[in-house]
Amino acid sequence: MSMFVLIPGAGGAAWYWSHVVPLLQDAGHQAVAVDLPGDDASAGLAEYTGLVVEAVGEQPGVVLVAQSLGGFTAPLVCEKASVAELVLVNAMIPVPGETPGAWWDNTGWAAAQQGAAKAHGYSPEFDTDTYFLHDVPSQIAAEGAPHQRPEASAAFDSACNFTAWPGIPTRVLSGEGDRFFPLEFQRQVARERLGIEPDTMPGGHLLALANPEGVAGYLLRR
């Protein structure tokens, strides 16, 4: 039996993992999604890290899973908790000392996002339906609406003060249809910053909502 600790992306709603957690539990594992105070202007990466470490507790060798902005919390947790494996899902992958706010320009995200939009024929102007919900079933999108909250600037202004990526098994999972972080962009960032070739599966940026069975199956293939 493994314990999976799952970090959400911007907004911090643990609900994001609500369709994956039961599948992990049904397979005989422990699984907990951590709710983070994304809309708290006084809470940054240090506070997020503390909450995730608290969720890990004394459990040895957890599988830490991080979505999108959660990629900035993940290496900080790895320095403070017993993590056996790290899985980054459509994640922002930092370098030591970087802030999430600087990541966009440092990685060339805007040009990649705009280029993918033009190449695939959808609007380069961001809106939630086009970039996040385009492949999420409508009933799941409606279910999630009450859980949404904006991400305050505190986390984006926080430096990710870790020494180096941990020497533990690490996997990167990318959605083939991610419009927010296009697949080729994710591949480039993962190669340059981790030396890892991402695994891919059908689904967009909100992969755990668009393809929960696929994500759960991937996590269970250790």
Side-chain angles (χ1 to χ4, degrees), residues 108-127 130-132 134 176-185:
W109 165 80
Q113 178 262 322
Q114 296 280 303
K118 293 175 182 177
H120 296 287
Y122 51 86
S123 174
E125 298 299 322
F126 176 82
D127 70 78
T130 299
Y131 281 86
F132 287 168
H134 61 97
E176 294 167 357
D178 192 337
R179 296 178 176 181
F180 194 53
F181 296 165
L183 179 57
E184 288 307 315
F185 167 74

Side-chain angles (χ1 to χ4, degrees), residues 15-20 132-133 135-137 140-141 144 148 206-213 215:
W15 175 87
Y16 169 75
W17 294 108
S18 63
H19 289 262
V20 171
F132 287 168
L133 300 177
D135 65 340
V136 175
I140 293 180
Q148 304 311 305
L206 302 184
L207 193 56
L209 299 177
N211 189 359
E213 293 84 3
V215 172

Side-chain angles (χ1 to χ4, degrees), residues 148-184:
Q148 304 311 305
R149 51 184 181 247
E151 180 68 39
S153 62
F156 286 106
D157 295 337
S158 301
C160 191
N161 290 321
F162 67 108
T163 304
W165 279 96
I168 60 174
T170 300
R171 291 186 284 165
V172 175
L173 177 61
S174 299
E176 294 167 357
D178 192 337
R179 296 178 176 181
F180 194 53
F181 296 165
L183 179 57
E184 288 307 315

Side-chain angles (χ1 to χ4, degrees), residues 7-12 36 38 45 48 66-75 88-94 99-101 103-104 151-152 154-158 160 180-181 205:
I7 308 173
L36 300 177
L45 295 178
Y48 292 4
Q67 156 77 10
S68 196
L69 177 60
F72 266 81
T73 300
L88 301 169
V89 181
N90 286 336
M92 299 171 75
I93 300 174
T99 66
W103 180 89
W104 310 93
E151 180 68 39
F156 286 106
D157 295 337
S158 301
C160 191
F180 194 53
F181 296 165
H205 191 66

